[in-house]
């Protein structure tokens, strides 16, 4: 076989399908655009889901791409096998009602045999059990021997998601040779061994699934996917995807960093593979706008990064190292993805902060694990509870195998059954919280039917009221002919002045009136391409389909929203001017009451910086710059320097909003005619929302004026209370604070004196049991900190000692137990002591053998709990003494 690089294979594939009249599109973002059913782009077809569903018109009937993808379903297999990865590229060609099996099967064979030059005698295919059409094409048209066409069942060769488009598949395999096989004479595709490697899947979308019914589609489609790294490994004669030309250099570089050669041992090889795979994924995720968080795609990013860091620790790579790997990844991938170079420093900044944060978390996890080990040893247990191990996994990012390894050093095991139960419980919670729409969302069926016959013309840039016709009415997701007073409805018009929620700007509100009724509109959305859905309630009479209507936008709300939207453009530019060009928009909300603007920056803004930004925005408002939207093509807009929002999906034709000589952005929102109409801009707050992302909240127009009036009212009230002029308020407040500090100091001294008085009484009340002292008492304390101070003083004066203190505070019970080290070795455990006492008071708690605290909600049982604790401890100490 001839060897080709990854870049060569990618180019060959795209050029081959260009020759078959396919439009070549760049890879879409890893963040699925406008798709709430998926966290990440998991396949080449994801950017085209709405085309397959008929919700949008394809930009071309034939498309081919090399799509970057991320899948974490098999994350535990990454590093262990030769072919599993979380990040990969998928080559795909797609037909939307154009060609079908008769064309795509021979094309696939042509590309594989004539262009990739894979040996035809080693190629096999699988088809769905009863797909005789595919068999005939493979056998008669292509000439593949019948014995190398394997029929497989639904699980292997039928693509479906429970509802929506579906169909049979045909997969292409390469026979790697008997040395990779199971040794069985009938080994063939479908066997679980490694001999036959599937590298291209052709999906024939020919049915629409409704429950158990499969309805043939009039317009049949094609969706194929070829794993780029997998086919590169075959062509380059490599056993593993980690050895192909654009991944192996990164593996070797990480190995050099760790002082270990790839191939030295299975354990180190697995860690090297995990590090490289996960950091390839992390680099692309951050470059596409994903940020670390505890939920959604941000959690996927955080989990991948932390797994990579943990495996680096196993290879004894100490300290920050991820930035170096990012540089190596960018160097290998920049040819196909030049945007990585543009965002390289940003990616490194985000990852550096997250790596530093995890360093602290990792140390916390190790301390918790050590506490669990100590507790198990002191109580004679030989394993750690599965729930505790899962907490290490879920909260601190410890994989099960790492916890096993650490515990083995102390002769302990993991309660793996308990761990699996906790894991499954979390998965079940996740399943219930996911949307029920599935892989291909069919919940928009009613809108889809309307989209075939109706297009809503938006006229709202030029007017706020328009005559229209009601083309459709939806109630509870179903089309109806009419809706009566009180019904929640969605109205589809042939033309509308209402702006539908998009680009961070909220939808308009207003009313739609007919001769028979009035509908109050509270929200406006774009459910499918070409349709605008007006959501609201019938307030009066009834409305019927096909009726003439008057659509009227709430003017004040629209104008206030426009003021805030234009202000975000000014703010974006001011942030770049004051902080630097690294600032980019990372999200926004624009409404009539306020604006929220998220942007990339890596430290808190100083008061002086915020002042400069606010002053700059207001300076541009006072210049009364004209705001001029124009329509142009995407390339022309970029050539003019228009700012595009990263990760946003743009068509060939775009709307550019120019604000005088100051700002130029791609934007479909509504704006004022000149900046002077904004009136006033005021920043309310600035803070962090994620690693490397800051947020400014601000108000403009009448909302800014209302904010200032509110602040003035506060000042007037303070003036009245403090009997001072505005300029004297800081001095007056400082005097009050100083007096308060003096009172707090005096109160602390009184508490200390009271504590010392309690200490003497407690020491005098100590019981002697054998050689140990026992102190059990109810004391006065407001919180656990005061209990700890008292316990520390008792333990300093008495040794060995066992202490159990209880206090009532705010209608609740507080407990503290302390045990001298010599007594913990003898089996007295502070955590067990407070737990027993707290249970009597309807609470719980625990802690280390030498110190633990707990709480309860039944203060009336405090005396009983302490007496029970005294009895229990006396028995323990008497047993030790004897």
């Amino acid at each position: 076989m001839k060897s080709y690089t990854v870049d060569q294979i990618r180019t060959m594939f795209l050029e081959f399908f260009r020759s078959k009249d396919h439009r070549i599109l760049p890879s879409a973002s890893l963040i699925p655009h406008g798709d709430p059913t998926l966290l990440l782009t998991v396949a080449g077809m994801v950017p085209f889901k709405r085309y397959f569903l008929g919700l949008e018109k394809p930009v071309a009937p034939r498309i081919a791409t090399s799509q970057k993808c991320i899948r974490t379903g098999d994350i535990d297999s990454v590093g262990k096998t030769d072919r599993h990865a979380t990040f990969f590229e998928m080559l795909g060609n797609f037909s939307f009602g154009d060609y079908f099996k008769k064309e795509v099967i021979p094309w696939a064979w042509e590309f594989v045999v004539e262009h990739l030059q894979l040996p035809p005698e080693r190629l096999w295919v699988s088809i769905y059990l009863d797909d005789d059409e595919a068999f005939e094409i493979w056998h008669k048209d292509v000439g593949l021997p019948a014995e190398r066409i394997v029929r497989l069942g639904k699980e292997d060769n039928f693509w479906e998601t429970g509802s929506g488009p579906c169909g049979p598949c045909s997969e292409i395999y390469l026979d790697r040779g008997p040395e990779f096989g199971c040794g069985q004479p009938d080994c063939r595709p479908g066997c679980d061994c490694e001999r036959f490697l599937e590298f291209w899947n052709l999906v024939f979308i020919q049915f629409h699934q409704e429950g158990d019914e499969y309805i043939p589609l009039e317009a049949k489609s094609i969706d194929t996917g070829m794993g780029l790294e997998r086919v590169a490994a075959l062509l380059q004669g490599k056993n593993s995807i980690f050895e192909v030309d654009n991944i192996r250099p990164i593996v070797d570089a990480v190995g050099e960093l760790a002082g270990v050669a790839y191939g030295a041992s299975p354990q180190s090889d697995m860690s090297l593979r995990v590090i490289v795979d996960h950091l390839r994924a992390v680099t692309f995720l951050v470059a596409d706008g994903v940020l670390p968080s505890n939920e959604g795609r941000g959690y996927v990013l955080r989990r991948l990064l932390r797994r990579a860091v943990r495996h680096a620790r196993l290879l004894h790579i100490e300290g920050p190292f991820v930035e170096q790997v990012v540089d190596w990844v960018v160097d290998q991938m920049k040819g196909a993805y030049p945007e990585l170079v543009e965002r390289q420093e940003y990616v490194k900044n985000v990852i550096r902060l997250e790596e530093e944060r995890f360093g602290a978390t990792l140390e916390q996890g190790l301390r918790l694990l050590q506490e669990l080990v100590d507790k198990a040893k002191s109580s004679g247990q030989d394993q750690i509870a599965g729930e505790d191990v899962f907490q290490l996994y879920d909260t601190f990012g410890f994989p099960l195998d790492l916890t096993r390894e650490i515990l083995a050093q102390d002769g302990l095991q993991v309660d793996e059954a308990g761990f699996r139960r906790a894991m499954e419980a979390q998965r079940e919670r996740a399943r219930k919280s996911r949307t029920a729409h599935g892989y291909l969302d069919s919940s928009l069926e009613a809108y889809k039917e309307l989209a075939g016959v109706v297009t809503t013309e938006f006229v709202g840039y030029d007017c706020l009221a328009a005559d229209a016709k009601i083309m459709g009415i939806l109630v509870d997701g179903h089309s109806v002919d009419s809706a009566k007073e009180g019904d929640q409805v969605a109205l589809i018009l042939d033309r509308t002045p209402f702006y539908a929620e998009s680009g961070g700007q909220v939808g308009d509100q207003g009313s739609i009136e007919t001769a028979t009724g009035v509908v109050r509109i509270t929200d406006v959305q774009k459910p499918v391409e070409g349709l605008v859905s007006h959501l609201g309630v019938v307030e009066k009479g009834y409305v019927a389909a096909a009726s003439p209507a008057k659509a009227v936008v709430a003017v004040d709300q629209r104008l206030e929203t426009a003021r805030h939207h234009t202000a975000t453009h000014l703010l974006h530019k001011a942030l770049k001017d004051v902080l630097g060009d690294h600032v980019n928009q990372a999200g926004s909300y624009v409404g009539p009451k306020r604006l929220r603007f998220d942007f990339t920056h890596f430290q808190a803004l100083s008061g002086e910086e915020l002042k400069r930004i606010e002053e700059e925005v207001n300076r541009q408002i006072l210049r009364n710059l004209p705001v001029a939207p124009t329509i142009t093509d995407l390339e022309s807009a970029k050539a003019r320097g228009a700012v595009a929002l990263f990760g946003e999906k743009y068509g060939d034709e775009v709307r550019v909003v120019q604000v005088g000589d100051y700002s130029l952005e791609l934007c479909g929102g509504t704006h004022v005619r000149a900046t002077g109409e904004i009136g006033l801009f005021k920043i309310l707050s600035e803070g962090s929302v994620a690693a490397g992302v800051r947020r400014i909240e601000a108000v403009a127009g009448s909302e800014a004026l209302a904010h200032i009036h509110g602040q003035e009212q506060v000042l007037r009230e303070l003036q009245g209370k403090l009997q001072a002029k505005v300029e004297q308020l800081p001095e007056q407040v400082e005097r009050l604070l100083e007096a308060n500090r003096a009172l707090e100091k005096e109160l602390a001294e009184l508490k200390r004196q009271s504590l010392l008085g309690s200490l003497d009484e407690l020491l005098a009340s100590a019981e002697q049991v054998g050689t140990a002292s026992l102190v059990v008492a109810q004391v006065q304390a407001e919180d656990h900190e005061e209990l700890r101070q008292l316990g520390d003083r008792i333990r300093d004066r008495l040794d060995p000692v066992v202490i159990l203190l209880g206090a009532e505070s705010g209608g609740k019970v507080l407990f503290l137990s302390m045990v001298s080290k010599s007594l913990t070795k003898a089996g007295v455990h502070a955590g067990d002591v407070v737990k027993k006492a707290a249970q009597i008071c309807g609470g719980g708690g625990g802690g280390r053998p030498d110190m633990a605290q707990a709480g309860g909600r039944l203060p009336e049982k405090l005396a009983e709990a302490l007496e029970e604790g005294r009895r229990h401890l006396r028995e323990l100490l008497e047993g030790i003494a004897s």
Side-chain angles (χ1 to χ4, degrees):
M1 291 186 293
K2 187 172 181 179
S3 179
Y4 294 102
T5 67
V6 168
D7 287 342
Q8 287 173 329
I9 298 167
R10 186 191 302 108
T11 300
M12 289 165 60
F13 179 88
L14 296 176
E15 290 305 314
F16 174 79
F17 281 100
R18 191 192 303 275
S19 74
K20 306 297 183 186
D21 299 322
H22 285 63
R23 180 169 176 177
I24 309 304
L25 295 181
S27 173
S29 171
L30 287 169
I31 303 174
H33 179 77
D35 187 350
T37 69
L38 287 173
L39 282 181
L40 296 164
T41 299
V42 296
M45 60 74 61
V46 168
F48 311 120
K49 278 176 57 176
R50 295 175 76 85
Y51 296 168
F52 284 118
L53 286 166
L55 300 177
E56 288 185 13
K57 182 180 178 182
V59 295
R62 301 179 178 188
I63 289 174
T65 63
S66 179
Q67 175 64 47
K68 52 195 176 186
C69 303
I70 284 188
R71 294 181 187 172
T72 58
D74 296 320
I75 192 170
D76 291 330
S77 297
V78 174
K80 298 176 183 177
T81 72
D82 291 330
R83 65 183 187 276
H84 282 98
T86 57
F87 175 83
F88 59 94
E89 292 182 77
M90 185 175 286
L91 303 172
N93 59 290
F94 309 93
S95 165
F96 309 103
D98 188 7
Y99 61 79
F100 201 50
K101 298 178 190 177
K102 196 76 173 174
E103 293 82 11
V104 75
I105 290 175
W107 287 345
W109 184 260
E110 178 186 352
F111 181 72
V112 168
V113 173
E114 296 182 20
H115 293 261
L116 297 183
Q117 300 182 37
L118 286 168
E121 68 277 6
R122 291 171 56 190
L123 292 173
W124 291 62
V125 301
S126 64
I127 61 173
Y128 181 55
L129 277 174
D130 59 4
D131 193 353
D132 295 331
E133 181 185 8
F135 178 86
E136 291 296 315
I137 299 171
W138 277 117
H139 183 48
K140 293 184 177 179
D141 295 4
V142 171
L144 191 64
E147 58 270 20
R148 282 196 271 132
I149 305 174
V150 181
R151 293 179 185 261
L152 296 176
K154 206 169 190 180
E155 183 177 341
D156 297 294
N157 275 74
F158 196 95
W159 185 84
E160 62 183 350
T161 62
S163 65
C166 63
C169 311
S170 181
E171 297 178 317
I172 307 176
Y173 297 78
L174 181 74
D175 182 358
R176 303 168 75 195
E179 64 272 22
F180 290 92
C182 57
Q184 298 298 318
D186 59 347
C187 182
R188 58 199 323 208
C191 180
D192 289 334
C193 73
E194 298 286 332
R195 176 172 177 174
F196 295 92
L197 184 67
E198 179 267 320
F199 62 90
W200 200 353
N201 185 19
L202 316 177
V203 181
F204 312 126
I205 300 177
Q206 62 189 85
F207 300 108
H208 182 90
Q209 184 183 4
E210 289 287 351
D212 295 331
E213 187 178 3
Y214 295 86
I215 304 165
L217 293 170
E218 289 185 17
K220 299 175 174 61
S221 298
I222 290 292
D223 160 24
T224 86
M226 178 193 292
L228 178 55
E229 294 84 358
R230 190 174 289 192
V231 76
L234 292 176
L235 291 168
Q236 294 174 21
K238 306 297 184 183
N239 292 335
S240 166
I241 61 171
F242 294 95
E243 297 172 24
V244 301
D245 65 285
N246 71 340
I247 301 180
R248 180 61 185 268
I250 310 174
V251 173
D252 289 339
V254 175
E256 185 175 345
L257 194 64
V260 59
Y262 185 66
S265 76
Q267 291 78 18
S268 61
D269 281 359
M270 185 182 80
S271 289
L272 289 172
R273 289 175 169 188
V274 169
I275 292 168
V276 172
D277 167 75
H278 287 10
L279 294 185
R280 271 167 42 98
V282 164
T283 300
F284 276 89
L285 281 168
V286 177
D288 274 4
V290 180
L291 292 162
S293 71
N294 285 328
E295 59 185 15
R297 57 182 67 98
Y299 179 71
V300 174
L301 167 60
R302 176 164 284 170
R303 183 184 180 199
L304 290 169
L305 180 60
R306 292 185 171 189
R307 286 186 103 240
V309 172
R310 288 195 310 268
H311 277 275
R313 294 285 184 97
L314 293 177
L315 294 178
H316 306 294
I317 299 176
E318 300 295 338
F321 78 101
V322 176
E323 283 186 74
Q324 293 174 269
V325 185
V326 171
D327 287 336
W328 299 330
V329 171
V330 172
D331 190 55
Q332 291 297 323
M333 304 299 292
K334 63 186 178 185
Y337 300 97
E339 66 271 15
L340 287 178
V341 178
E342 299 173 13
R343 298 182 66 80
Q344 187 168 356
E345 290 306 312
Y346 167 72
V347 172
K348 289 163 65 175
N349 281 328
V350 171
I351 289 176
R352 182 193 312 117
L353 290 172
E354 181 65 13
E355 187 179 10
E356 290 172 354
R357 183 177 297 173
F358 181 49
T361 304
L362 189 62
E363 295 304 321
Q364 288 178 332
L366 288 171
R367 285 198 296 271
L368 174 60
L369 183 55
Q370 188 58 53
E371 289 178 9
L372 293 171
V373 169
D374 293 342
K375 182 178 178 181
K377 283 184 170 182
S378 65
S379 59
Q381 298 173 350
D382 62 356
Q383 66 177 8
I384 302 297
E387 293 82 359
D388 292 332
V389 176
F390 180 74
Q391 183 189 1
L392 285 165
Y393 170 84
D394 192 45
T395 304
F396 298 100
F398 277 51
L400 184 60
D401 51 3
L402 178 60
T403 303
R404 279 199 206 101
E405 181 181 322
I406 295 172
L407 293 179
Q409 298 170 1
D410 290 283
L412 298 174
Q413 297 177 324
V414 171
D415 169 19
E416 301 206 15
F419 176 84
R420 286 192 295 272
R421 284 194 299 272
M423 175 74 82
E424 185 54 39
Q426 187 204 51
R427 286 174 176 163
E428 183 61 29
R429 289 191 296 273
R431 278 193 289 268
K432 289 179 179 177
S433 68
R434 288 191 203 113
T435 175
H437 296 323
Y439 193 43
L440 282 176
D441 183 3
S442 60
S443 66
L444 301 175
E445 200 62 36
Y447 286 115
K448 179 181 171 183
E449 292 173 3
L450 286 168
V453 294
V454 180
T455 299
T456 305
E457 178 190 4
F458 175 61
V459 297
Y461 288 136
D462 303 313
C463 60
L464 297 179
D467 293 323
K469 182 178 181 181
I470 297 177
M471 306 301 293
I473 303 174
L474 275 65
V475 175
D476 294 330
H478 300 286
S479 289
V480 296
D481 293 328
S482 64
K484 64 184 183 304
E485 187 171 321
D487 284 347
Q488 298 283 338
V489 298
L491 301 185
I492 306 298
L493 308 180
D494 61 343
R495 60 199 302 265
T496 183
F498 284 84
Y499 180 86
E501 181 179 338
S502 180
Q505 179 177 328
V506 300
D508 282 330
Q509 296 184 9
S511 65
I512 295 176
E513 298 184 20
T514 71
T516 60
V518 178
V519 179
R520 178 170 53 86
I521 302 302
T522 56
D523 192 16
V524 185
Q525 297 288 328
K526 291 180 183 176
V528 299
E529 184 184 32
L531 288 188
V532 174
S533 178
H534 306 75
L535 307 174
V537 62
V538 182
E539 282 194 326
K540 179 181 178 183
Y542 70 93
V543 290
S547 300
K550 183 79 171 182
V552 181
V553 173
V555 176
D556 289 345
Q557 185 207 36
R558 165 69 82 84
L559 293 179
E560 288 296 339
T561 302
R563 291 183 178 104
H564 284 106
H565 202 151
T566 306
T568 64
H569 287 222
L570 300 180
L571 174 61
H572 193 180
K573 183 64 166 59
L575 285 165
K576 285 179 176 289
D577 289 346
V578 173
L579 303 178
D581 285 336
H582 66 278
V583 169
N584 283 298
Q585 183 172 338
S588 70
Y589 167 86
V590 177
K593 296 291 186 182
R594 63 186 175 90
L595 70 86
R596 183 183 69 231
F597 193 81
D598 297 346
F599 58 97
T600 53
H601 191 58
F602 301 97
Q603 61 189 37
L605 274 63
S606 67
E608 180 59 32
E609 286 171 329
L610 286 171
K611 180 182 176 184
R612 287 173 57 196
I613 292 163
E614 187 175 275
E615 287 177 344
E616 175 63 14
V617 172
N618 281 302
R619 190 171 76 85
Q620 301 305 326
I621 291 172
L622 290 173
R623 290 178 67 197
N624 199 29
L625 299 171
V627 180
T630 56
I631 304 297
T632 184
D633 62 273
L634 182 59
E635 292 307 315
S636 298
K638 289 182 177 179
R640 289 172 58 192
V643 175
L645 301 188
F646 193 79
E648 187 67 32
K649 185 178 180 181
Y650 296 104
D652 292 336
E653 191 177 80
V654 294
R655 185 169 182 261
V656 179
V657 175
Q658 180 168 359
V659 183
D661 57 359
Y662 189 67
S663 167
L664 190 68
E665 289 193 26
L666 301 182
C667 179
T670 62
H671 290 270
V672 297
R673 292 165 297 182
T675 58
E677 294 179 21
I678 296 172
L680 179 65
F681 173 81
K682 183 65 183 172
I683 293 175
L684 302 182
S685 65
E686 187 276 336
S688 173
V689 290
V693 177
R694 311 293 299 178
R695 170 174 293 171
I696 281 179
E697 299 210 26
V699 285
S702 59
E703 290 297 324
L705 193 59
H707 172 75
I708 290 173
H709 286 161
Q711 299 294 94
E712 288 177 340
Q713 181 61 31
V714 171
L715 285 174
R716 281 194 293 271
E717 290 178 7
L718 285 175
Q719 282 181 268
K721 290 178 189 272
L722 298 178
Q723 295 296 303
K725 296 179 180 179
V726 170
E727 58 270 21
Q728 295 173 329
L729 288 177
E731 182 182 347
Q732 286 280 67
V733 170
E734 182 56 41
R735 284 202 197 101
L736 287 173
L737 289 174
E738 183 60 38
N740 190 58
R741 284 191 287 268
L743 289 172
E744 286 179 346
K745 187 175 181 181
E746 184 179 341
L747 179 61
E749 178 59 24
L750 289 172
K751 284 186 176 180
R752 190 182 72 82
Q753 295 295 335
S754 175
L755 189 66
L756 290 174
S758 299
L759 177 63
D760 292 337
E761 292 178 13
L762 290 169
L763 292 173
S765 70
E767 299 179 51
Q768 200 69 25
V769 184
T771 60
S773 296
L774 174 60
V775 177
V776 179
Q778 179 174 347
V779 297
Q780 297 294 320
E782 293 185 3
D783 53 36
H784 277 112
E785 177 58 32
E786 290 189 10
L787 281 179
R788 281 195 295 273
Q789 290 180 16
L790 193 54
D792 283 337
R793 290 176 181 274
I794 296 171
R795 192 165 54 179
D796 289 343
R797 301 280 290 274
L798 299 175
D799 186 42
V801 66
V802 178
I803 304 164
L804 175 61
L805 301 179
E808 181 183 347
S809 178
K812 295 183 179 180
V813 181
L814 309 175
F815 288 105
L816 172 86
S817 177
M818 289 186 171
V819 181
S820 296
K821 291 288 186 184
S822 59
L823 294 175
T824 63
K825 293 177 181 178
V828 183
H829 195 291
D832 295 340
V833 173
V834 294
K835 187 175 181 181
K836 288 179 184 296
Q839 285 174 345
I840 294 173
C841 291
R848 301 193 310 267
D850 61 327
M851 196 279 283
Q853 60 190 41
R857 53 185 174 80
L858 302 174
E860 65 272 16
K861 294 195 174 185
L862 175 56
E864 178 188 342
L866 290 173
E867 191 54 40
E868 177 60 25
R870 184 193 305 276
R871 185 194 62 76
H872 171 68
L873 289 171
R874 191 185 294 120
E875 288 179 359
L876 279 177
L877 293 176
E878 287 173 349
I880 293 170
S882 63

